[in-house]
Amino acid sequence: FTSNRIMYYRSDEGFLESHFDKKAGNYTKQKFGKYYQILTALTKKGNDFKSGGGVIFKGKKKIFIDDYLNYGDVLIYNEKLKHGVDKIISNNKEKNKGRISVLVTFYKIFT
C-alpha cells in the first residue's frame, strides 16, 4: 500500500513545523505495522531557494537535509524520525520558486 503526494513550499511563505508522524504512526501500526517515507528532491537549495528547507533531528542536533540533496536525490526515513521544513527563503532571483519534493509512503505488514 502506498500514499503519494507532491509537496510545494513557496518562497518566503512555506514551512512545516518539526514533528513525529504520531497520528499516522499510530494508525499504520494498528493497520499495517510500519511505514517508510521516500522523498525525492525536485528543487535544490541555492538554486531554487536561498535558505530554510527540510530538517531532520538526530537527538537534539538539527540537520538541514537540503544542504546535501541535489535534483533527483532520494531520502528514505521511517515514522520514528523527527522532521519538518524550516521557512523557505527566496534567493531574490526567482521569487516564485521554492521547495518541491515528491513523497511516497510505503506501508509494510509485518507478521
Side-chain angles (χ1 to χ4, degrees), residues 37-60:
Q37 297 282 16
I38 300 172
L39 177 147
T40 303
L42 299 183
T43 52
K44 183 175 177 175
K45 189 173 184 176
N47 290 359
D48 301 304
F49 59 98
K50 180 172 72 173
S51 64
V55 295
I56 59 172
F57 291 83
K58 184 171 182 173
K60 293 186 180 191

Side-chain angles (χ1 to χ4, degrees), residues 45-46 49-53 64 86-91:
K45 189 173 184 176
F49 59 98
K50 180 172 72 173
S51 64
F64 284 85
D86 277 11
K87 186 175 180 181
I88 301 299
I89 304 299
S90 72
N91 59 14

Side-chain angles (χ1 to χ4, degrees), residues 2 4 13 31 37 39 58-59 85 90 99 103:
T2 65
N4 309 307
E13 294 178 15
K31 191 125 175 121
Q37 297 282 16
L39 177 147
K58 184 171 182 173
V85 178
S90 72
R99 180 180 189 264
L103 285 134

